[in-house]
Amino acid sequence: LQSLYAARDSLERDLRQNKLKKLLEKILRAIEDEIREEVARDVNVSWMELDWKKEQLEQSVIDVCRVVTLKERPQPRIDYSAKKCPVWSHDGTCSGEITNPMQIAIDDRTQNIFVADNGAHRIQVFDGEGNHLYQIPTPPRPIGITLSDEYIFVSADVKLIKIEKSNKQSIISVETDDLVWGIDTNSNTDIYGCESNNRSIAVFDKDLNFQKRIKLRTTQVGPDTFTNSIKLYEDKMYVMFSGYSAPPPFHLHILDLEGELVKCLIEENEIGSSEFFSIDRLGNFIVADWEGDQIKIFSKEGTVLHTITSDMLQGNQKFYRPFGVAIDKQNRIIVANMNIKCNLLAF
């Protein structure tokens, strides 16, 4: 079997040349020839032993094939370069209009779009085609929003609010120790909120009972920064830091669930300033850069994949301080402009 094992070692080279089918046929013929030779040399050899040798060799071939084809498999990608850009909503306080929108959340099941309409003290809800469905008043100004199957969770100044989707009524409202900005929820419906001034994450259960405070232990950001947005992804916290100094600092860090720094993903100068970001199904980061009037897409390693600038758009499709950003199952980027012309765009 030594010659066959030597042939197996050359699999990687051949597989790189797309010769998988021919190579497997060659190996299988070699296995059959080896069995015949074993029988010819020793008529007493057991078929059980031959079957075992055959299975061993076949498994080794399968293992190598699996490794090599995984290496050579093209990486999936999403093309953000050529998107239509309908305008779904306009500036105003009437039904279906928005004023100073903040965070956006998309319902996984219905693909309805929930917008924290800060200027009009309400949550605006649109379907996946941009048609206005309904609005929910929130007496404080809503900032962050996240969803579970049954509930809408909203951060509003120093309050957290829990709203039932079915009857659109607020059922719990609690005071928080600090201004809570962006929020997200995990699979257990625990709410993780960015405490803006404390540079920490406050964790609440689904009934908004305070559970713990996670101090973010990172020395990579300056004293003039604050936490403003969080996404939970693959058992990690992806936290955005920003500020109002000149030039404004911006960082996107990966931390474990205890607050320890794992990786500095995006550093200063790569973004003007940002409040919210989203993560697509491939782990790419979509960042709304309100200071630069642009949307930037980064890979999970932090490399810039694509930039959508306001100069690339026309008329009322242009960016005017893009604040809220989310991505739906069709890989459309939903953007909420916050200033001059408040509207909702889809790419």
Side-chain angles (χ1 to χ4, degrees):
L1 296 176
Q2 287 182 354
S3 61
L4 291 180
Y5 282 111
R8 182 201 64 184
D9 293 338
S10 69
L11 273 172
E12 187 167 349
R13 291 193 305 273
D14 290 334
L15 285 173
R16 290 186 190 280
Q17 299 172 22
N18 257 345
K19 297 179 179 178
L20 179 59
K21 183 177 179 181
K22 290 182 179 179
L23 187 58
L24 288 179
E25 290 174 351
K26 176 181 175 182
I27 291 296
L28 290 174
R29 284 197 301 271
I31 291 172
E32 293 171 357
D33 292 343
E34 183 66 24
I35 290 174
R36 294 192 188 95
E37 290 178 12
E38 286 277 1
V39 173
R41 284 197 297 268
D42 185 357
V43 293
N44 296 318
V45 69
S46 70
W47 283 106
M48 185 179 295
E49 184 180 358
L50 288 174
D51 285 343
W52 178 78
K53 287 182 179 180
K54 179 175 179 288
E55 288 173 5
Q56 261 196 326
L57 187 56
E58 285 179 330
Q59 187 58 50
S60 68
V61 170
I62 291 169
D63 290 342
V64 173
C65 290
R66 182 183 298 117
V67 171
V68 175
T69 52
L70 282 175
K71 286 181 182 177
E72 294 301 309
R73 183 179 300 165
Q75 292 300 309
R77 61 187 298 273
I78 298 172
D79 182 12
Y80 289 113
S81 61
K83 297 280 188 180
K84 293 182 179 179
C85 183
V87 178
W88 282 348
S89 180
H90 297 277
D91 183 35
T93 57
C94 296
S95 180
E97 298 176 337
I98 53 179
T99 307
N100 290 351
M102 302 291 276
Q103 192 170 10
I104 302 173
I106 297 180
D107 190 308
D108 286 338
R109 184 174 56 83
T110 65
Q111 291 297 284
N112 289 342
I113 302 160
F114 291 71
V115 182
D117 190 354
N118 182 274
H121 299 223
R122 61 189 177 183
I123 302 300
Q124 293 275 38
V125 185
F126 303 83
D127 67 15
E129 299 304 318
N131 302 303
H132 183 251
L133 298 177
Y134 56 89
Q135 61 188 32
I136 304 171
T138 59
R141 294 176 178 268
I143 300 172
I145 184 169
T146 188
L147 309 171
S148 71
D149 289 341
E150 299 177 76
Y151 303 107
I152 307 163
F153 298 95
V154 179
S155 63
D157 294 334
V158 290
K159 283 189 175 182
L160 277 182
I161 303 169
K162 179 180 178 180
I163 302 168
E164 278 192 4
K165 283 184 181 177
S166 57
N167 60 19
K168 308 173 184 61
Q169 296 293 317
S170 172
I171 56 175
I172 301 176
S173 177
V174 300
E175 298 282 340
T176 57
D177 293 338
D178 189 16
L179 173 64
V180 175
W181 206 255
I183 58 177
D184 199 12
T185 184
N186 64 11
S187 57
N188 296 323
T189 322
D190 295 321
I191 313 304
Y192 285 64
C194 290
E195 293 189 314
S196 184
N197 299 317
N198 286 336
R199 284 175 62 176
S200 57
I201 303 298
V203 183
F204 302 81
D205 66 16
K206 65 180 180 180
D207 295 318
L208 303 188
N209 298 305
F210 177 78
Q211 300 297 300
K212 62 180 178 179
R213 177 170 287 107
I214 305 172
K215 196 68 178 176
L216 303 179
R217 292 180 284 279
T218 172
T219 60
Q220 305 299 316
V221 295
D224 57 343
T225 57
F226 52 85
T227 54
N228 55 5
S229 190
I230 180 173
K231 289 293 179 184
L232 302 171
Y233 182 73
E234 294 183 343
D235 296 323
K236 298 287 189 300
M237 296 188 298
Y238 291 74
V239 180
M240 179 181 289
F241 299 83
S242 191
Y244 290 114
S245 63
F250 170 83
H251 303 265
L252 182 57
H253 288 180
I254 306 174
L255 302 105
D256 65 23
L257 296 179
E258 300 302 319
E260 295 290 346
L261 179 66
V262 175
K263 183 179 180 182
C264 301
L265 193 69
I266 303 172
E267 293 296 342
E268 290 187 68
N269 305 321
E270 295 186 72
I271 287 287
S273 193
S274 178
E275 302 295 328
F276 298 107
F277 70 101
S278 190
I279 303 178
D280 70 17
R281 59 182 175 82
L282 301 182
N284 300 320
F285 300 89
I286 295 88
V287 180
D289 179 0
W290 59 261
E291 188 187 44
D293 279 341
Q294 61 185 353
I295 300 296
K296 273 198 170 183
I297 296 98
F298 296 84
S299 71
K300 61 173 63 177
E301 291 78 25
T303 304
V304 177
L305 298 176
H306 191 65
T307 302
I308 305 172
T309 65
S310 193
D311 294 339
M312 299 164 61
L313 308 175
Q314 297 179 352
N316 59 359
Q317 297 177 352
K318 286 184 175 293
F319 292 137
Y320 299 94
R321 288 205 168 192
F323 242 60
V325 63
I327 186 161
D328 66 11
K329 286 185 176 179
Q330 300 179 55
N331 302 319
R332 293 182 303 182
I333 303 174
I334 314 299
V335 180
N337 276 326
M338 186 178 181
N339 203 10
I340 304 177
K341 291 185 179 180
C342 296
N343 54 20
L344 200 63
L345 309 177
F347 293 85

